[in-house]
Amino acid sequence: MLKLKIVSPERVEFEGEVERVKVPGMMGNFEILTDHAPIISSLQKGIVEYDGKQLPITGGFVAVQKNEVSVCVEIQAP
C-alpha cells in the first residue's frame, strides 16, 4: 500500500492509503505502485487517478519516497 497525500493551495484534497496512483507527467502519464523508486516529477494538465477517483488538475508536482506519495496540484476549475 501507498500513503497518498494530495494538497492544493486551498486544502488537503485527499489523505489515505491507496494501491496505486496515476499522474499526468510532463512526458506522459505514469503509474506509481508499492515500492516505486524515489522520484520527483512535474505534472501537466490532466487527471490524477487513485482508488477509482479522478481529480482534474492544471499542473503541479509529485514526490515519491518509501511508499509515501506527495502530490501538490492546482485543481482545474469545474
Side-chain angles (χ1 to χ4, degrees):
M1 292 294 273
L2 299 166
K3 291 182 183 177
L4 173 63
K5 185 171 185 177
I6 302 175
V7 296
S8 69
E10 293 79 29
R11 64 181 173 275
V12 175
E13 301 291 334
F14 176 84
E15 189 168 9
E17 290 192 342
V18 299
E19 289 188 25
R20 63 187 66 209
V21 182
K22 191 172 183 180
V23 294
M26 299 305 282
M27 303 290 285
N29 290 345
F30 66 94
E31 192 167 42
I32 300 160
L33 301 169
T34 303
D35 296 328
H36 194 287
I39 186 173
I40 295 175
S41 177
S42 297
L43 301 178
Q44 63 182 351
K45 182 176 180 178
I47 304 289
V48 175
E49 297 179 43
Y50 58 97
D51 278 359
K53 297 178 179 76
Q54 295 187 336
L55 182 64
I57 66 167
T58 59
F61 70 89
V62 61
V64 180
Q65 188 171 18
K66 297 182 181 175
N67 292 324
E68 292 188 12
V69 182
S70 300
V71 183
C72 182
V73 295
E74 281 285 336
I75 304 298
Q76 185 174 329

